[in-house]
Amino acid sequence: MPVILQTRLPEQQTGAPRLPGTGPCGTEDWLLMDEAYAPQMAYREALLAERPEAVFYQSETAKPAASELLEHALALLPRFGFGIDTKAVVCPDGRKVTLVRSQPLWTLAHLVQEDLCILQKRGDEHVLTAAALCFPANWRLADKIEQPLTAIHSPVAEYDADIARRVQRLFDGVRAGRPLWRFNKLHYADADLHQPRRRETGSDMPFTRSERQCILRLPESDAVVFTIHTYVVRDGDTVA
Protein backbone atom coordinates (compact mmCIF):
# COMPACT_ATOMS: atom_id res chain seq x y z
CA MET A 1 0.00 0.00 0.00
CA PRO A 2 1.24 3.56 -0.62
CA VAL A 3 2.80 5.48 2.23
CA ILE A 4 1.06 8.86 2.23
CA LEU A 5 2.18 11.34 4.85
CA GLN A 6 1.44 14.94 5.67
CA THR A 7 4.44 16.99 6.73
CA ARG A 8 2.94 18.03 10.07
CA LEU A 9 -0.22 17.94 12.13
CA PRO A 10 -2.22 21.14 12.46
CA GLU A 11 -1.41 22.98 15.66
CA GLN A 12 -4.96 22.45 16.95
CA GLN A 13 -4.38 18.69 16.87
CA THR A 14 -1.17 18.55 18.86
CA GLY A 15 -2.75 18.34 22.33
CA ALA A 16 -4.34 15.39 24.06
CA PRO A 17 -7.81 14.53 22.70
CA ARG A 18 -10.71 13.47 24.89
CA LEU A 19 -14.25 12.12 24.43
CA PRO A 20 -16.43 13.67 23.19
CA GLY A 21 -14.27 16.85 23.32
CA THR A 22 -16.12 18.87 20.68
CA GLY A 23 -15.93 22.58 19.96
CA PRO A 24 -17.41 25.01 17.45
CA CYS A 25 -16.23 24.78 13.84
CA GLY A 26 -16.37 27.54 11.24
CA THR A 27 -19.40 27.28 8.97
CA GLU A 28 -17.24 26.31 5.98
CA ASP A 29 -14.34 24.66 7.82
CA TRP A 30 -15.76 21.14 7.86
CA LEU A 31 -14.11 20.74 4.46
CA LEU A 32 -10.32 21.03 4.16
CA MET A 33 -7.56 20.36 1.66
CA ASP A 34 -3.90 19.81 2.52
CA GLU A 35 -0.63 18.90 0.84
CA ALA A 36 -1.55 15.19 0.73
CA TYR A 37 -4.60 15.83 -1.44
CA ALA A 38 -3.25 14.33 -4.68
CA PRO A 39 -1.88 11.05 -3.29
CA GLN A 40 -4.81 10.58 -0.91
CA MET A 41 -7.27 11.05 -3.78
CA ALA A 42 -5.37 8.61 -5.97
CA TYR A 43 -5.63 6.03 -3.20
CA ARG A 44 -9.32 6.83 -2.67
CA GLU A 45 -10.05 6.36 -6.37
CA ALA A 46 -8.26 3.01 -6.37
CA LEU A 47 -10.23 1.78 -3.35
CA LEU A 48 -13.54 2.96 -4.80
CA ALA A 49 -12.77 1.24 -8.10
CA GLU A 50 -11.33 -2.00 -6.73
CA ARG A 51 -13.18 -2.49 -3.41
CA PRO A 52 -16.42 -0.50 -3.57
CA GLU A 53 -18.28 -2.93 -1.31
CA ALA A 54 -15.71 -2.31 1.45
CA VAL A 55 -15.63 1.48 1.32
CA PHE A 56 -19.02 2.68 0.07
CA TYR A 57 -22.67 2.32 1.04
CA GLN A 58 -25.75 4.42 0.32
CA SER A 59 -29.33 3.52 1.13
CA GLU A 60 -32.20 4.93 -0.89
CA THR A 61 -33.46 6.78 2.17
CA ALA A 62 -30.14 8.65 2.37
CA LYS A 63 -30.11 9.83 -1.24
CA PRO A 64 -31.82 13.20 -0.62
CA ALA A 65 -29.34 13.94 2.16
CA ALA A 66 -26.43 12.87 -0.06
CA SER A 67 -27.67 15.18 -2.82
CA GLU A 68 -27.90 18.05 -0.35
CA LEU A 69 -24.39 17.32 0.92
CA LEU A 70 -22.97 17.30 -2.62
CA GLU A 71 -24.47 20.71 -3.38
CA HIS A 72 -23.22 22.07 -0.06
CA ALA A 73 -19.69 20.86 -0.84
CA LEU A 74 -19.73 22.15 -4.42
CA ALA A 75 -20.38 25.65 -3.08
CA LEU A 76 -17.18 25.45 -1.01
CA LEU A 77 -14.78 23.81 -3.46
CA PRO A 78 -13.86 26.85 -5.61
CA ARG A 79 -11.93 28.39 -2.72
CA PHE A 80 -9.56 25.38 -2.88
CA GLY A 81 -8.91 25.82 -6.60
CA PHE A 82 -11.57 23.51 -8.05
CA GLY A 83 -13.13 24.45 -11.38
CA ILE A 84 -16.83 23.64 -11.56
CA ASP A 85 -19.34 23.72 -14.40
CA THR A 86 -22.70 22.05 -14.88
CA LYS A 87 -21.23 18.73 -16.02
CA ALA A 88 -17.86 18.23 -14.35
CA VAL A 89 -15.36 19.33 -11.71
CA VAL A 90 -11.69 19.90 -12.44
CA CYS A 91 -9.77 19.10 -9.26
CA PRO A 92 -6.55 20.77 -8.06
CA ASP A 93 -4.60 17.59 -8.92
CA GLY A 94 -5.78 17.80 -12.55
CA ARG A 95 -8.43 15.09 -12.46
CA LYS A 96 -11.77 15.77 -14.14
CA VAL A 97 -14.69 14.26 -12.26
CA THR A 98 -18.07 14.01 -13.97
CA LEU A 99 -20.92 15.41 -11.90
CA VAL A 100 -23.32 12.50 -11.60
CA ARG A 101 -26.10 13.96 -9.51
CA SER A 102 -27.98 10.65 -9.52
CA GLN A 103 -25.02 9.26 -7.53
CA PRO A 104 -24.26 12.20 -5.24
CA LEU A 105 -22.20 10.58 -2.50
CA TRP A 106 -20.22 8.48 -4.99
CA THR A 107 -19.40 11.67 -6.91
CA LEU A 108 -18.40 13.59 -3.79
CA ALA A 109 -16.15 10.73 -2.65
CA HIS A 110 -14.05 11.37 -5.77
CA LEU A 111 -13.66 15.06 -4.99
CA VAL A 112 -12.75 15.52 -1.33
CA GLN A 113 -10.22 14.08 1.09
CA GLU A 114 -12.79 13.63 3.84
CA ASP A 115 -14.51 10.37 4.56
CA LEU A 116 -18.24 11.10 4.78
CA CYS A 117 -20.85 9.39 6.95
CA ILE A 118 -24.55 10.30 6.79
CA LEU A 119 -26.66 9.54 9.84
CA GLN A 120 -30.44 9.91 10.09
CA LYS A 121 -32.63 9.85 13.19
CA ARG A 122 -34.65 6.69 13.74
CA GLY A 123 -36.37 6.52 17.08
CA ASP A 124 -34.00 7.67 19.82
CA GLU A 125 -30.74 7.33 17.87
CA HIS A 126 -29.04 8.34 14.67
CA VAL A 127 -28.39 5.48 12.25
CA LEU A 128 -25.63 5.22 9.64
CA THR A 129 -27.54 5.24 6.32
CA ALA A 130 -24.71 6.13 3.90
CA ALA A 131 -20.94 6.40 3.93
CA ALA A 132 -17.88 6.83 1.77
CA LEU A 133 -15.24 5.43 4.12
CA CYS A 134 -11.96 4.83 2.33
CA PHE A 135 -9.66 5.44 5.30
CA PRO A 136 -11.15 3.60 8.29
CA ALA A 137 -9.15 3.28 11.50
CA ASN A 138 -9.89 -0.05 13.19
CA TRP A 139 -13.44 -0.54 11.94
CA ARG A 140 -15.20 -2.05 8.93
CA LEU A 141 -17.99 -0.23 7.16
CA ALA A 142 -19.85 -3.51 6.56
CA ASP A 143 -20.17 -3.96 10.33
CA LYS A 144 -21.69 -0.52 10.87
CA ILE A 145 -24.16 0.16 8.04
CA GLU A 146 -27.74 0.69 9.22
CA GLN A 147 -26.51 0.60 12.83
CA PRO A 148 -27.23 3.23 15.53
CA LEU A 149 -24.51 5.26 17.25
CA THR A 150 -24.25 2.92 20.24
CA ALA A 151 -23.64 -0.11 18.03
CA ILE A 152 -21.20 1.81 15.83
CA HIS A 153 -19.05 2.69 18.85
CA SER A 154 -19.47 -0.57 20.78
CA PRO A 155 -15.80 -1.72 20.44
CA VAL A 156 -14.48 1.57 21.89
CA ALA A 157 -13.60 0.94 25.55
CA GLU A 158 -13.99 4.60 26.52
CA TYR A 159 -17.46 4.78 24.95
CA ASP A 160 -19.55 4.00 28.02
CA ALA A 161 -23.23 4.76 28.60
CA ASP A 162 -22.48 8.31 29.76
CA ILE A 163 -20.40 9.10 26.65
CA ALA A 164 -23.07 7.49 24.47
CA ARG A 165 -25.72 9.83 25.90
CA ARG A 166 -23.46 12.85 25.44
CA VAL A 167 -22.67 11.96 21.83
CA GLN A 168 -26.35 11.41 21.02
CA ARG A 169 -27.10 14.83 22.54
CA LEU A 170 -24.46 16.32 20.24
CA PHE A 171 -26.10 14.76 17.20
CA ASP A 172 -29.51 15.93 18.38
CA GLY A 173 -28.32 19.43 19.20
CA VAL A 174 -25.99 20.36 16.34
CA ARG A 175 -27.52 23.24 14.40
CA ALA A 176 -27.46 23.86 10.67
CA GLY A 177 -24.72 26.39 9.90
CA ARG A 178 -23.01 25.74 13.24
CA PRO A 179 -20.92 22.57 12.85
CA LEU A 180 -18.81 21.05 15.60
CA TRP A 181 -15.39 19.43 15.48
CA ARG A 182 -13.09 17.22 17.53
CA PHE A 183 -9.96 15.15 16.91
CA ASN A 184 -8.35 11.91 17.96
CA LYS A 185 -4.74 10.80 17.85
CA LEU A 186 -3.03 7.42 18.10
CA HIS A 187 0.36 5.91 17.34
CA TYR A 188 0.53 3.31 14.58
CA ALA A 189 3.05 0.77 13.36
CA ASP A 190 1.71 1.04 9.80
CA ALA A 191 1.12 4.29 7.87
CA ASP A 192 -1.55 2.77 5.60
CA LEU A 193 -4.64 4.99 5.54
CA HIS A 194 -6.99 2.05 4.92
CA GLN A 195 -6.88 0.11 8.19
CA PRO A 196 -10.19 -1.67 8.87
CA ARG A 197 -8.38 -4.30 10.91
CA ARG A 198 -7.47 -3.94 14.57
CA ARG A 199 -4.53 -1.59 15.12
CA GLU A 200 -1.20 -3.31 15.73
CA THR A 201 0.64 -2.25 18.87
CA GLY A 202 4.22 -2.73 19.96
CA SER A 203 7.47 -0.98 20.69
CA ASP A 204 7.94 0.27 17.14
CA MET A 205 5.10 2.74 16.45
CA PRO A 206 6.71 5.41 14.26
CA PHE A 207 3.56 7.06 12.88
CA THR A 208 0.96 9.32 14.44
CA ARG A 209 -2.51 9.21 12.94
CA SER A 210 -4.95 11.99 13.78
CA GLU A 211 -8.50 12.39 12.53
CA ARG A 212 -10.20 15.78 12.39
CA GLN A 213 -13.85 14.92 12.78
CA CYS A 214 -16.69 17.34 12.08
CA ILE A 215 -20.42 17.05 12.77
CA LEU A 216 -22.79 19.14 10.68
CA ARG A 217 -26.53 19.22 10.13
CA LEU A 218 -28.05 19.48 6.67
CA PRO A 219 -30.92 21.99 6.91
CA GLU A 220 -33.28 20.51 4.31
CA SER A 221 -33.02 16.77 5.02
CA ASP A 222 -32.20 17.25 8.74
CA ALA A 223 -29.57 14.51 8.39
CA VAL A 224 -26.32 14.75 10.32
CA VAL A 225 -23.02 14.33 8.50
CA PHE A 226 -19.88 13.07 10.24
CA THR A 227 -16.74 13.92 8.29
CA ILE A 228 -13.23 12.57 8.86
CA HIS A 229 -10.09 14.27 7.55
CA THR A 230 -7.14 11.96 8.21
CA TYR A 231 -3.56 13.03 8.86
CA VAL A 232 -0.66 10.61 9.15
CA VAL A 233 2.78 11.93 10.08
CA ARG A 234 6.04 10.37 11.07
CA ASP A 235 6.65 10.86 14.79
CA GLY A 236 8.35 14.16 15.50
CA ASP A 237 6.45 16.04 12.77
CA THR A 238 3.62 17.25 14.97
CA VAL A 239 3.18 21.01 14.64
CA ALA A 240 1.79 22.93 11.66
Side-chain angles (χ1 to χ4, degrees):
M1 293 298 111
V3 175
I4 302 170
L5 304 175
Q6 281 92 347
T7 54
R8 306 204 173 194
L9 293 183
E11 185 176 0
Q12 300 92 329
Q13 290 172 228
T14 57
R18 56 190 177 87
L19 288 173
T22 55
C25 174
T27 304
E28 300 180 352
D29 293 340
W30 61 272
L31 200 59
L32 299 178
M33 189 175 74
D34 62 45
E35 76 274 16
Y37 177 82
Q40 280 199 4
M41 295 310 298
Y43 194 11
R44 293 178 71 84
E45 286 207 328
L47 289 165
L48 287 161
E50 298 165 11
R51 303 185 61 193
E53 73 290 342
V55 299
F56 186 84
Y57 172 77
Q58 182 185 296
S59 67
E60 280 301 311
T61 58
K63 189 173 180 180
S67 295
E68 186 180 0
L69 180 62
L70 174 61
E71 298 305 321
H72 190 20
L74 289 174
L76 302 180
L77 292 182
R79 68 175 178 157
F80 297 114
F82 290 77
I84 302 174
D85 62 30
T86 58
K87 295 183 179 180
V89 177
V90 178
C91 302
D93 58 358
R95 291 175 303 116
K96 187 174 184 179
V97 176
T98 301
L99 275 176
V100 184
R101 285 186 162 84
S102 62
Q103 300 180 47
L105 190 60
W106 181 262
T107 299
L108 188 54
H110 290 79
L111 297 174
V112 300
Q113 281 178 269
E114 281 75 12
D115 282 326
L116 306 158
C117 300
I118 295 175
L119 297 102
Q120 295 173 286
K121 191 74 176 287
R122 293 181 184 167
D124 294 332
E125 290 192 83
H126 281 80
V127 172
L128 181 64
T129 57
L133 184 78
C134 292
F135 302 152
N138 314 321
W139 61 290
R140 295 192 326 132
L141 179 59
D143 297 334
K144 309 300 182 181
I145 56 176
E146 301 296 334
Q147 295 296 311
L149 282 171
T150 48
I152 290 170
H153 290 93
S154 60
V156 181
E158 299 89 346
Y159 198 88
D160 58 18
D162 178 60
I163 292 293
R165 285 191 295 270
R166 291 164 66 188
V167 171
Q168 184 56 57
R169 283 199 298 268
L170 285 173
F171 275 67
D172 287 336
V174 64
R175 305 285 184 86
R178 300 178 64 182
L180 303 169
W181 84 285
R182 68 174 301 276
F183 74 96
N184 64 21
K185 188 165 58 177
L186 288 170
H187 293 290
Y188 276 73
D190 185 351
D192 191 358
L193 286 158
H194 181 76
Q195 295 208 40
R197 60 197 176 278
R198 185 177 296 276
R199 178 175 65 108
E200 295 182 10
T201 59
S203 57
D204 186 16
M205 307 279 280
F207 302 103
T208 295
R209 177 173 177 143
S210 181
E211 295 177 340
R212 184 182 190 270
Q213 304 168 344
C214 294
I215 304 169
L216 62 146
R217 184 175 299 281
L218 299 174
E220 295 180 17
S221 63
D222 202 42
V224 174
V225 181
F226 183 75
T227 72
I228 308 166
H229 190 105
T230 303
Y231 297 86
V232 181
V233 299
R234 200 176 299 275
D235 279 359
D237 298 338
T238 56
V239 181

